[in-house]
Amino acid sequence: MATHCKDYDFLQIEPHWQTFWENNRSFRTDNDTSKPKYYVLDMFPYPSGAGLHIGHPEGYTATDIIARYKRAKGFNVLHPIGWDAFGLPAEQHAVKTGTHPASNTQNNITNFRRQIKALGFSYDWEREVDTTDPKYFKWTQWIFLQLFKKGLAYVDERPVWWCPELRTVLANEEVQDGKSEVGGFPVERRNLRQWVLRITAYAERLLADLKDVDWPDSTKRMQEAWIGRSEGAELLFKLEQEHLGDLKVFTTRPDTLFGATYMVIAPEHPLVNALTTPEQRDAIDAYKKKVAGKSDLERTDLAKDKSGVFTGSFAINPVNGARLPIWVADYVLMGYGTGAIMAVPAHDERDFEFAHQYHLPVIQVIEPDHNDNASNGHGSPKLPYTGDGKLVHSEDYTGLPWADAKKKITADLASKGRGKATVNYKLRDWLFSRQRYWGEPFPVLWVTESDYALAAASRAADLPPSPVTYRDAATGDTWYALPLPAAALPLTLPEVESYLPSGNGESPLANVTEWLEVWVNFATGASVPASQSRPVGESWIRGRRETNTMPQWAGSCWYYLRFLDPKNETAFADPKLLAYWGVPDLYVGGAEHAVLHLLYARFWHKVLFDLGVVPQAEPFTKLFHQGIILGEDGEKMSKSRGNVVSPDTIIASHGTDTLRLYLMFLGPLEAMKPWSMTQIEGVFRFLQKVWRECIGREGEINPKISDDASADSTELLKTLHETIKKVGDDIENLRFNTAISQMMICVNAIQKAERVSLSTIRAFLQVLAPLAPHITEELWTRLGGTGSIQQAAWPQFDPAKLVATELKVVVQINGKKRAELLVPVGTSQDTAFSLAQTHPESATYLAGKVVKRVVFVPGKILNIVVE
RNA sequence: GCCCGGGUGGUGGAAUGGUAGACACCAGGGACUUAAAAUCCCUUGAUCGAAAGGUCGUGCGGGUUCGAGUCCCGCCCCGGGCACCA
């Protein structure tokens, strides 16, 4: 069963045991509900052409250690892997080469699978999923239908991020500093018809439920910031031109209403034209043009320079009737709040800057309670003052603390129908469509109003409360979105001639007329190309398929659920398995997904929870981010820098066990840390030392190993049991670096011992096994262990072995270390003190001194304060 | 600008308020060897000293404490996130 090599020949040992595990299906997980479950999940990879990056095995090794450890602890462990295989790089490759993205994707998956298997991870390969497999995305489409039915999916023509280079739109979350997250290409605003998911309907719960999950604080805070809840009020300002109605603004500072000196509306605000007076028309038009021409990069870069133009119109302050000039300025965004604000320059930095630039009045209405450092020396604060305080110059409200004034002013206006308390979020609805080929097709057909009505009669249960429609600007026709029946899923991608998007906002699917224009049976979802004659039957109507596809995030929103029951054809997962396995107990992946995948998946999960198909409200109860591994030069690994380390190379030169161990020994899992080729030698030597302690020169069992269980010295046993305890504790807390150093201490102790018992060696191999599974299988077998070491129960540590009879006490005089005492357990302070007085190293510091105080911590310290 | 995280030997990093530098790497010395590799042993924070030993030392400056890398206040630097969100 074992190999026959004499030396630690990892090139022979590692493939041997990998084959053994595969042939024995060692890591197949059955749904044995009699055992406690443990579900440990990695963020599944996008199978890129570049192959595995060294960052992948970092996180995967951590979860593999946990998986193997938990199995040894008696858990039924679910540890799956799959492929997040839709995505832009595969499609761009297809555009370049003309080959189907699926074939390139499958090649990449084959390579990834090979690399991952070579790392010896204990995945259950029978549960592998692939988001591009129609058997998988059938259920992605099914979940979309549920969202659609609940009215959480709609179509909107709206300004969206368009990336000319990628020829697609991108979500807010995919755009950084005016550039695409993928590729770093510039993006611009365009008005396009888009599918949008109503994630904002879940904003409050997405925020509130963060308190229930065990996540890194920084990630929770990032999501909080992204959701961006702010409490305030919507207030109505009458317009001087009364026929135009009211101007609605959102403010978080209704308490500063008396300090409003002007109004600002966004350049895209619907009232801009109506409010512009003839004298101001040219200036406003020129300004709007200038703003529209600004790329968002410029709009961000120029954030410091505020600009705006007076419309010529006025609004009336509802509390004091003041006439407030209405300006148009691009520092107010149409996408947030109402696209209009009341400007209070005395108490808002931006308004202050703007007022200063255009010589608008500043009225202070808040005074700090404590006139200390905020003061300008004359009792009033330096403006703008954004801190707390009490109201001044605010008529009846003067003197009120600001928090009270917020409530009272809002309530008073509400009672007059001039406002109400509201909550606003920065979170926008999720732009869910891409003009690409390589994604899940939307299972939706566009039909006429009358055909929709016809279908609605029998399909009411599949339809949203109000129809999703879109008006074709070119023809003036209005189209109705009719979902395919769930039974007709999956809707697969047709073959296309070219993968190149048309560039005008339509995907390559728009060119596949046979697929696009169909006769469809609305009851069954069956279809034939529209070029053929209409089939016989009442349920056949004309339909045009949706040409957009879903973004890459769709498939990763729910894959953790599919692993529970990956082959199920009648449900995305069996409810019994959903109940048993639930959601991952531990989820490990990069922090770069803090607001993308992790927010989207939470949203979908909550929708599924509301549908009653998953039993818990949150998908990822415990989350951990592995840190980035830098190149040897301390810089981010990149091809251009030439500092990339490939797992394949290390496996060939040092073996997988060494690589795994080294990745964990580098430093804390969450830390960013540089790779080092010299440091890896250290862990390699450690494994060789383990080998030599077990195996002699000729491949025989090391003669120092004794069957006699009492062969171990007391110190060796103490070290062993300390190791069992510490390694277990450290694994539970994902502190693998210190677990490994403890194992090094243990093997050093074994090496120094003249004899060691077989049971000690075996226990040591067992605690090493989750980290270095191949060498430990080999040695376990050679030392006569039965079965796979992976099946052996985790060794118990004996607390009695950990108790020392003597303790070291450090003697400090005035806080400085002066001596060490070795005293029996239970030694009193007085005894220790008198020992210190006679100890040669400390006595000299005590002679002739007056002892003022003695601090004694048994087993730690005796601090004597003198004079 | 705002919000996080982090600054410890030549290097990666350890340290429930209780011996700073565990465990490794590198470097130096020694053993084994014809020799080398491998392996094993020793030294290895700085500084003063012949030695015994002393002094200093966890980014900087203060503070709390018998005792601070750890807690508090004020800075500096690095990394990440957000950024006209009213």
Side-chain angles (χ1 to χ4, degrees):
Chain A
M1 289 269 273
T3 72
H4 301 289
C5 52
K6 292 176 185 173
D7 298 326
Y8 171 40
D9 184 358
F10 52 86
L11 289 176
Q12 200 183 330
I13 293 167
E14 292 178 352
H16 173 84
W17 289 101
Q18 284 163 16
T19 307
F20 172 87
W21 295 328
E22 183 134 357
N23 292 344
N24 287 276
R25 300 164 92 193
S26 301
F27 305 117
R28 199 175 64 88
T29 304
D30 54 30
N31 300 314
D32 173 6
T33 53
S34 68
K35 279 190 190 172
K37 68 99 185 182
Y38 192 85
Y39 182 6
V40 51
L41 183 67
D42 295 294
M43 287 185 188
F44 67 161
Y46 173 73
S48 74
L52 227 52
H53 182 270
I54 202 75
H56 288 116
E58 187 194 11
Y60 299 170
T61 301
T63 52
D64 193 58
I65 293 166
I66 298 279
R68 290 171 183 268
Y69 168 77
K70 288 286 181 181
R71 284 191 203 102
K73 294 286 269 186
F75 287 86
N76 190 21
V77 171
L78 180 58
H79 187 41
I81 189 79
W83 318 106
D84 187 15
F86 276 126
L88 275 175
E91 179 153 1
Q92 282 172 312
H93 184 265
V95 168
K96 241 184 260 169
T97 62
T99 55
H100 198 289
S103 75
N104 185 41
T105 299
Q106 289 311 312
N107 289 342
N108 290 349
I109 286 176
T110 304
N111 189 42
F112 261 66
R113 194 188 289 118
R114 174 190 66 76
Q115 287 188 299
I116 287 176
K117 286 195 173 179
L119 284 154
F121 297 134
S122 61
Y123 293 120
D124 178 358
W125 288 99
E126 291 169 49
R127 291 179 186 250
E128 191 179 343
V129 302
D130 170 356
T131 55
T132 66
D133 182 345
K135 288 185 185 133
Y136 179 91
F137 72 65
K138 169 183 176 178
W139 297 104
T140 310
Q141 291 173 330
W142 182 84
I143 295 172
F144 174 81
L145 291 182
Q146 311 310 307
L147 288 152
F148 181 82
K149 182 160 80 180
K150 288 194 72 175
L152 292 168
Y154 62 100
V155 165
D156 196 12
E157 178 143 332
R158 51 161 58 190
V160 294
W161 296 115
W162 170 262
C163 178
E165 188 67 31
L166 297 172
R167 301 196 191 202
T168 188
V169 295
L170 298 169
N172 274 339
E173 292 82 354
E174 293 172 303
V175 175
Q176 285 173 354
D177 299 329
K179 291 193 177 142
S180 63
E181 201 195 22
V182 177
F185 305 115
V187 297
E188 57 192 52
R189 283 289 188 193
R190 276 204 195 177
N191 277 306
L192 287 172
R193 176 183 70 85
Q194 298 298 331
W195 281 95
V196 185
L197 298 186
R198 217 179 291 279
I199 191 172
T200 52
Y202 282 74
E204 194 59 50
R205 285 164 66 192
L206 288 168
L207 185 66
D209 290 356
L210 283 172
K211 69 179 185 326
D212 299 326
V213 295
D214 180 4
W215 284 20
D217 277 346
S218 58
T219 305
K220 285 193 188 185
R221 267 189 288 264
M222 268 193 246
Q223 289 214 349
E224 275 166 20
W226 192 261
I227 295 166
R229 183 183 201 272
S230 66
E231 282 181 21
E234 279 179 5
L235 306 179
L236 295 176
F237 284 64
K238 274 206 175 67
L239 292 166
E240 222 171 38
Q241 298 154 276
E242 286 189 17
H243 67 282
L244 290 176
D246 294 320
L247 183 61
K248 193 199 270 183
V249 304
F250 173 74
T251 179
T252 56
R253 296 295 304 274
D255 53 313
T256 62
L257 188 49
F258 287 87
T261 57
Y262 63 103
M263 311 291 286
V264 185
I265 60 180
E268 301 88 358
H269 195 281
L271 283 174
V272 171
N273 279 332
L275 287 171
T276 303
T277 57
E279 311 82 72
Q280 295 300 105
R281 177 67 58 193
D282 289 349
I284 291 282
D285 286 351
Y287 183 70
K288 278 174 70 178
K289 211 171 159 191
K290 186 179 129 202
V291 169
K294 273 189 195 176
S295 76
D296 273 68
L297 194 58
E298 286 170 316
R299 235 168 128 159
T300 318
D301 277 355
L302 301 174
K304 280 164 201 127
D305 297 326
K306 295 213 168 24
S307 65
V309 177
F310 176 45
T311 59
S313 299
F314 292 84
I316 306 301
N317 190 328
V319 282
N320 59 8
R323 282 179 90 223
L324 303 172
I326 302 171
W327 287 63
V328 171
D330 70 351
Y331 82 91
V332 170
L333 309 174
M334 195 58 226
Y336 183 78
T338 61
I341 62 157
M342 64 177 208
V344 185
H347 304 293
D348 182 280
E349 310 252 355
R350 298 149 300 180
D351 297 346
F352 186 85
E353 196 188 317
F354 191 82
H356 181 76
Q357 191 166 338
Y358 292 100
H359 310 291
L360 293 157
V362 177
I363 300 172
Q364 187 197 333
V365 291
I366 301 287
E367 199 162 79
D369 293 324
H370 309 289
N371 270 333
D372 36 50
N373 49 1
S375 170
N376 64 1
H378 303 289
S380 53
K382 184 177 176 299
L383 296 180
Y385 174 72
T386 56
D388 59 7
K390 61 179 188 296
L391 273 66
V392 294
H393 309 135
S394 297
E395 298 181 7
D396 292 351
Y397 303 97
T398 297
L400 279 180
W402 73 335
D404 297 351
K406 270 183 202 186
K407 283 181 205 144
K408 192 160 187 333
I409 291 176
T410 306
D412 290 352
L413 286 172
S415 70
K416 291 185 218 150
R418 305 306 298 165
K420 63 172 185 199
T422 55
V423 173
N424 241 296
Y425 300 92
K426 285 190 216 173
L427 184 70
R428 305 295 145 80
D429 275 342
W430 175 14
L431 198 133
F432 191 67
S433 48
R434 300 291 182 272
Q435 291 67 56
R436 307 301 305 214
Y437 173 76
W438 195 229
E440 300 88 346
F442 283 80
V444 165
L445 289 139
W446 292 103
V447 301
T448 63
E449 182 173 12
S450 54
D451 284 344
Y452 185 85
L454 192 66
S458 61
R459 298 274 313 281
D462 295 343
L463 303 180
S466 51
V468 170
T469 63
Y470 119 81
R471 189 174 164 276
D472 186 331
T475 63
D477 297 333
T478 297
W479 296 95
Y480 283 65
L482 182 69
L484 285 177
L489 300 180
L491 173 64
T492 55
L493 287 164
E495 297 299 317
V496 293
E497 305 251 319
S498 164
Y499 302 101
L500 195 64
S502 57
N504 63 1
E506 289 240 59
S507 88
L509 295 175
N511 301 324
V512 195
T513 315
E514 293 284 283
W515 178 83
L516 188 69
E517 302 288 352
V518 290
W519 293 108
V520 62
N521 182 312
F522 61 72
T524 64
S527 66
V528 298
S531 54
Q532 299 176 19
S533 55
R534 180 179 181 276
V536 181
E538 280 180 10
S539 305
W540 290 89
I541 56 174
R542 268 291 269 114
R544 185 178 202 264
R545 295 199 194 273
E546 172 59 58
T547 59
N548 284 311
T549 54
M550 299 186 198
Q552 194 182 353
W553 311 109
S556 60
C557 268
W558 70 283
Y559 74 109
Y560 56 95
L561 296 170
R562 188 61 175 170
F563 283 133
L564 310 188
D565 197 8
K567 307 226 161 65
N568 196 322
E569 290 186 9
T570 57
F572 70 85
D574 183 330
K576 284 202 287 290
L577 295 177
L578 284 161
Y580 171 60
W581 288 111
V583 293
D585 296 280
L586 176 66
Y587 191 32
V588 175
E592 67 273 17
H593 294 111
V595 285
L596 290 158
H597 160 62
L598 289 168
L599 191 63
Y600 298 150
R602 291 182 64 217
F603 164 46
W604 277 34
H605 194 90
K606 287 186 184 304
V607 174
L608 294 174
F609 175 69
D610 289 349
L611 284 168
V613 294
V614 297
Q616 45 310 86
E618 280 289 328
F620 309 122
T621 46
K622 184 179 166 75
L623 172 72
F624 199 93
H625 299 306
Q626 82 276 17
I628 294 168
I629 296 182
L630 305 170
E632 287 202 85
D633 52 3
E635 302 287 336
K636 223 171 199 163
M637 281 194 193
S638 73
K639 262 191 207 159
S640 55
R641 280 210 180 78
N643 59 355
V644 176
V645 178
S646 155
D648 287 348
T649 318
I650 308 301
I651 291 172
S653 62
H654 292 81
T656 295
D657 282 337
T658 297
L659 174 59
R660 294 168 53 115
L661 221 44
Y662 176 61
L663 285 169
M664 297 299 101
F665 189 60
L666 265 174
L669 185 61
E670 68 276 19
M672 181 186 282
K673 54 225 164 216
W675 177 266
S676 156
M677 222 43 227
T678 52
Q679 295 265 355
I680 201 172
E681 295 296 336
V683 285
F684 185 54
R685 274 177 221 162
F686 163 70
L687 287 181
Q688 287 179 303
K689 199 182 282 188
V690 171
W691 180 270
R692 282 195 310 271
E693 288 309 305
C694 298
I695 303 297
R697 270 242 193 91
E698 299 305 318
E700 80 285 9
I701 294 176
N702 189 330
K704 75 189 276 186
I705 299 175
S706 164
D707 285 337
D708 178 1
S710 60
D712 303 313
S713 67
T714 317
E715 302 96 87
L716 181 59
L717 273 179
K718 179 160 180 271
T719 303
L720 175 73
H721 286 266
E722 277 167 357
T723 303
I724 294 170
K725 180 174 191 316
K726 181 156 176 62
V727 172
D729 291 349
D730 281 353
I731 288 176
E732 299 263 9
N733 293 300
L734 292 97
R735 290 195 307 242
F736 305 111
N737 54 330
T738 50
I740 294 165
S741 89
Q742 180 62 40
M743 289 190 272
M744 287 173 167
I745 290 168
C746 189
V747 83
N748 287 343
I750 291 171
Q751 185 184 39
K752 286 193 172 59
E754 280 175 29
R755 291 173 71 214
V756 57
S757 73
L758 185 58
S759 63
T760 290
I761 287 283
R762 280 186 178 165
F764 173 76
L765 290 176
Q766 278 185 270
V767 298
L768 177 58
L771 291 93
H774 308 82
I775 188 176
T776 46
E777 286 277 25
E778 178 77 16
L779 295 174
W780 175 263
T781 304
R782 292 205 194 194
L783 293 177
T786 48
S788 162
I789 193 169
Q790 303 299 328
Q791 263 133 33
W794 191 254
Q796 297 273 321
F797 71 88
D798 180 357
K801 298 271 195 315
L802 300 181
V803 179
T805 50
E806 287 196 309
L807 294 171
K808 200 192 313 186
V809 172
V810 169
V811 179
Q812 291 185 342
I813 315 288
N814 287 346
K816 280 189 201 280
K817 181 190 166 186
R818 295 301 183 189
E820 281 179 12
L821 303 174
L822 212 52
V823 300
V825 173
T827 299
S828 70
Q829 176 177 322
D830 289 347
T831 315
F833 182 58
S834 47
L835 281 168
Q837 281 177 311
T838 53
H839 193 284
E841 282 171 20
S842 50
T844 51
Y845 293 92
L846 293 170
K849 304 284 169 94
V850 181
V851 175
K852 284 170 63 182
R853 181 170 175 184
V854 178
V855 179
F856 181 61
V857 182
K860 298 270 187 194
I861 216 124
L862 176 71
N863 191 9
I864 302 164
V865 185
V866 296
E867 286 182 330

